Amino acid sequence: MSGRAAARAIDALRRGWPIRLAADDGALRLMAVEGADAVTLAGFDPTGCADILISAARAETLKLANQLAAADPDLPVLVERAPWIDADVATAISDPVLDLASPLKGPFRALPLAAPDAARAALRLARLAGILPAFFVTAEDGPVEAEASAQDVAAYDDAVHLAVATRARLPVDASESAEIVAFRSPDEPREHVALVVGRRDATPPVIRIHSECLTGDVLGSLKCDCGPQLHQALHQIADARWGILLYLRQEGRGIGLVNKLRAYALQDQGFDTVDANVRLGFAIDARDFSVAARMLDLLGVREVRLLTNNPNKVAGLEAAGIRVAERLPIILPANPHNERYLATKRDRTGHQL
Ligand SMILES: Nc1nc2c(ncn2[C@@H]2O[C@H](COP(=O)(O)OP(=O)(O)OP(=O)(O)O)[C@@H](O)[C@H]2O)c(=O)[nH]1
Ligand SMILES: [Zn+2]
């Protein structure tokens, strides 16, 4: 297993280069649909017969999902490459944001999937690369820029590889007595940080697990509650005896900034935050809280008082071996732009608001 192989495959996909992805059930030669054009597609697939691999949810929107009585409703779907499907049509097939502007023609035909495990790994790789989960696929051989296996993909963002990179004193607005600790893993580029506030003692710290939200944390977006929650959490932590803010680089609940902004574009079309993620072909929440548990472990913390309204965060942390002695709510007033978002969190993802 090699995180490095997965890192190379992710890099290649983001650049529009072909890769080979192998699993126990077979191998696929893949190129991302995102960013492909007539020239790159002809280079990848000179005979024009590469099929298109998409998520089950996207296949459902395209009325394709029930063509194959699949035992597993989450299995990716292979779309046959009809002669009229060029790079532009493939782009429209892969990107639900374009549905209103360019209604899809069809009819599309689903093909049996020869290597389901490799297909699943491909979709996971797309999420890690922050691209749309859609690929041109050929089963036969051809040139590739990188090769990885499903095991490489699974190992890539395993929290076990995280280690403390460095630490320094960092006085902040909420507390002058704070230390920042940065974490790195060898192959995965996202650098997570912890801010340890106050004087450590034997009591469980008050902690907040905050997932990066560029729009909310930096730009003051009113679409979510992230920015105000971050600042409120820092103050609640500073008011406690001691505490820790974990800042995880899991933007957009783990789908990356660009895909989150695609979800926002779908929300502009009327979908809520849950349906927007699903329509894009991602899980409702793709975050991995074992990262938070690993960071706490490296800080020598086994038991916490967790600031959250999200029962899945409590469950995720406990499943990863951290005892949650208490859940502390963190509730802020809504504004007209995030009212629906907060209602969706309450009604569809079990947030206790
Ligand atoms: N995909 C997606 N991500 C979003 C959206 N709005 C906010 N986010 C992301 O949601 C994450 C913030 O969630 P959190 O506040 O940590 O967690 P939570 O699940 O709301 O739970 P709490 O602890 O109760 O706040 C950040 O990564 C945001 O970028 C959205 O509409 N779509
Ligand atoms: Zn946000």
Side-chain angles (χ1 to χ4, degrees):
M1 274 182 313
S2 147
R4 187 176 298 179
R8 289 205 180 106
I10 287 168
D11 182 60
L13 285 178
R14 291 173 60 105
R15 293 171 195 269
W17 295 343
I19 68 162
R20 182 172 297 103
L21 189 56
D24 290 343
D25 57 4
L28 300 170
R29 185 170 162 262
L30 304 162
M31 183 176 84
V33 173
E34 180 167 348
D37 58 25
V39 174
T40 57
L41 180 55
F44 174 72
D45 171 38
T47 56
C49 56
D51 299 312
I52 299 168
L53 185 72
I54 56 174
S55 68
R58 184 61 183 150
E60 191 159 333
T61 308
L62 301 177
K63 311 262 182 293
L64 266 166
N66 49 13
Q67 281 191 20
L68 305 160
D72 176 355
D74 292 330
L75 198 65
V77 172
L78 194 61
V79 183
E80 184 183 44
R81 180 81 171 286
W84 50 275
I85 301 184
D86 59 13
D88 287 346
V89 174
T91 302
I93 288 173
S94 70
D95 188 350
V97 176
L98 304 175
D99 286 355
L100 281 186
S102 59
L104 284 156
K105 288 194 290 273
F108 300 109
R109 207 165 79 87
L111 299 170
L113 207 50
D117 291 341
R120 270 189 239 274
L123 259 57
R124 184 176 172 142
L125 211 50
R127 179 177 68 76
L128 293 168
I131 60 172
L132 285 166
F135 297 93
F136 292 107
V137 186
T138 62
E140 77 272 18
D141 254 0
V144 292
E145 294 287 339
E147 298 195 45
S149 69
Q151 288 90 330
D152 297 332
V153 177
Y156 174 70
D157 63 346
D158 191 328
V160 77
H161 304 303
L162 274 182
V164 172
T166 192
R167 48 211 307 165
R169 214 173 59 79
L170 187 75
V172 294
D173 187 42
S175 167
E176 292 184 6
S177 155
E179 183 188 36
I180 188 162
V181 184
F183 299 80
R184 264 189 183 156
S185 74
D187 301 311
E188 215 245 355
R190 293 179 301 181
E191 293 164 339
H192 307 288
V193 300
L195 192 71
V196 184
V197 177
R199 270 176 75 111
R200 184 178 185 129
D201 64 21
T203 62
V206 171
I207 75 153
R208 169 77 183 154
I209 302 175
H210 184 90
S211 301
E212 178 173 24
C213 176
L214 179 91
T215 44
D217 301 345
V218 179
L219 304 177
S221 162
L222 299 175
K223 268 184 78 74
C224 59
D225 52 351
C226 303
Q229 269 189 328
L230 174 61
H231 292 104
Q232 166 82 14
L234 281 168
H235 285 282
Q236 277 185 241
I237 289 170
D239 288 345
R241 295 151 76 124
W242 76 292
I244 304 172
L245 176 93
L246 299 179
Y247 193 90
L248 309 186
R249 312 301 295 279
Q250 301 184 345
E251 172 64 81
R253 298 198 295 271
I255 64 174
L257 176 65
V258 172
N259 283 327
K260 180 181 87 168
L261 301 182
R262 291 188 170 115
Y264 279 4
L266 288 173
Q267 288 166 40
D268 289 341
Q269 296 175 16
F271 298 100
D272 69 21
T273 183
V274 166
D275 288 333
N277 261 44
V278 171
R279 254 184 124 73
L280 284 165
F282 296 113
I284 296 164
D285 191 338
R287 286 177 291 183
D288 175 5
F289 292 114
S290 66
V291 171
R294 170 76 179 157
M295 290 163 75
L296 290 169
D297 201 30
L298 289 166
L299 294 171
V301 173
R302 293 280 140 80
E303 185 176 359
V304 300
R305 301 165 66 206
L306 181 62
L307 278 164
T308 186
N309 311 314
N310 182 351
N312 293 331
K313 273 189 188 170
V314 177
L317 209 52
E318 293 218 297
I322 301 289
R323 208 177 98 72
V324 179
E326 193 181 354
R327 182 184 72 82
L328 306 167
I330 175 156
I331 297 180
L332 288 136
N335 72 56
H337 302 277
N338 70 11
E339 240 163 24
R340 184 172 177 214
Y341 174 67
L342 297 180
T344 303
K345 291 215 283 188
R346 184 193 60 221
D347 299 339
R348 301 195 64 188
T349 57
H351 283 66
Q352 293 171 335
L353 295 172

